Amino acid sequence: MTDASPIPIPIPRNRWEALASARPDVVLMGPFLVYLALLSLKDLVPVEWLPIAAAMRGVGSLAVVWVFRRYLPPWGRPHLLIALPAGLFAAWGWMAGQYLFDDLGLGGRLPVFPGTKEWIDPRDTLGAGKLFWTAASMRILVACTAVPLVEELFWRAFMLRALVDWHHFDRLPLGAFAWRAMLLSSVLSTLQHPDNWGVSILCWLFFNALFYRTRSVLCLVIVHAVTNLALYLHVLRVGEWSFW
């Protein structure tokens, strides 16, 4: 039997918490949107500032999570015995799937996006010394902390429910299943990964299925973090910058 008691709503203490109380969608979308906005800094600053730009998008998005912390949904259990191997499997699937799509001639950029897919070795602009390793370390740190957190709050905690009932998504429990949300969110993920659109769909289907199974945001944050860490370490080990 499940506990049907309603979750107490915190009393707002400032204007940000008043916004969170009135707009639960902002609580879950805000950190991700701030991350995307700060992501543009990498194209606006000199290469010497790339580590700072990475730190700013990580700290900035996590700050929004902190501001809204009292209004976040339940995190759930970590499910480490599921999350750790699932993250490694997702990393392997991302690479193997991309190789397959490339072999089939489907590995190019999503057609609705302009330009072509191009991969550049970052050492060509950063060198192979201290600047590169500082920038790489900061990029990996953000990819394994801020990115999983803000993306899982957006995609799993918000979008999977909003695509069922946009205006009253917060009335639905986490992990409430609907084929429309399962499939459409996976297709929408290609807007975030236009150069890896095929494997993005497959990865999101896998992540969505895990979320429906565990109903745990924390579990998916760990899965996502392990996936990113495994991919980045693979790139650094073998130099396959197409996955950078």
Side-chain angles (χ1 to χ4, degrees), residues 33-45:
L33 295 178
V34 168
Y35 177 85
L36 292 179
L38 293 175
L39 183 62
S40 63
L41 288 176
K42 66 182 179 63
D43 299 319
L44 302 175
V45 301

Side-chain angles (χ1 to χ4, degrees), residues 178-194:
W179 279 112
R180 178 172 69 255
M182 170 79 160
L183 299 176
L184 185 54
S185 65
S186 300
V187 172
L188 289 174
S189 76
T190 62
L191 301 178
Q192 186 178 337
H193 304 107

Side-chain angles (χ1 to χ4, degrees), residues 104-155:
L104 295 174
L106 300 173
R109 175 169 294 180
L110 194 67
V112 297
F113 280 77
T116 58
K117 181 167 68 173
E118 295 181 359
W119 299 105
I120 301 174
D121 186 337
R123 293 171 299 185
D124 293 342
T125 54
L126 298 175
K130 181 179 179 180
L131 179 59
F132 166 74
W133 286 107
T134 302
S137 299
M138 187 57 64
R139 179 170 180 151
I140 294 172
L141 178 62
V142 172
C144 296
T145 54
V147 171
L149 191 58
V150 303
E151 288 196 7
E152 292 308 318
L153 287 174
F154 176 77
W155 287 106

